[in-house]
Amino acid sequence: MGMAYIPKALLRRLYVKGSMQVTSEGLSLKLQNNLAPAALNAPPKVAVDDVPVDPSSVKVFVNDKEVVEPPSDEKPLEIPLGSQITLLVRGNYTKGRHKVTIGISVKGYGEGSFDIEDEAA
């Protein structure tokens, strides 16, 4: 049974426009789950400006609470409807325009990836 793919256009709607920021820790951005309750069964795959980021350098917060355990099939990360996800990509990033590609795996739905471009404040 092949995995289904979640359409990019749908996933792109998750991004909170204007939320990209450069902090002392790295590049952060927010996603708002306004689509459906979901459970991630793998850590998100992130690339910044087409450069893949080591998963250990990506911090994930759900409603400002840090996710310490990487999600798996056995212990998926629940993302309730209406919750906000913050991704913090640790590293040295400059302010200005960045393209961030995010790949997610959702239990029961399959995988999808999408990219967003925004001006990091």
Side-chain angles (χ1 to χ4, degrees):
M1 192 178 109
M3 285 293 259
Y5 278 90
I6 309 165
K8 269 190 202 322
L10 195 63
L11 291 173
R12 219 172 253 141
R13 284 169 39 194
L14 295 169
Y15 176 61
V16 178
K17 286 186 176 62
S19 68
M20 196 181 286
Q21 285 187 323
V22 174
T23 70
S24 56
E25 279 192 88
L27 186 69
S28 80
L29 56 96
K30 293 188 189 319
L31 305 173
Q32 180 89 30
N33 180 11
N34 45 19
L35 300 175
L40 299 185
N41 57 1
K45 293 186 181 76
V46 178
V48 178
D49 300 323
D50 296 321
V51 180
V53 175
D54 186 314
S56 65
S57 296
V58 181
K59 282 189 185 178
V60 180
F61 300 83
V62 178
N63 295 332
D64 295 326
K65 186 173 178 289
E66 188 176 352
V67 176
V68 280
E69 204 171 340
S72 63
D73 261 334
E74 293 71 42
K75 288 196 169 172
L77 172 61
E78 300 290 336
I79 312 278
L81 187 61
S83 54
Q84 193 172 71
I85 301 136
T86 304
L87 293 180
L88 172 63
V89 183
R90 289 190 296 208
N92 207 352
Y93 293 99
T94 52
K95 295 186 191 299
R97 204 161 187 77
H98 289 286
K99 173 181 160 193
V100 179
T101 308
I102 302 165
I104 57 169
S105 176
V106 182
K107 204 177 167 86
Y109 286 94
E111 296 184 9
S113 90
F114 62 107
D115 51 77
I116 48 166
E117 277 194 51
D118 207 350
E119 202 76 37

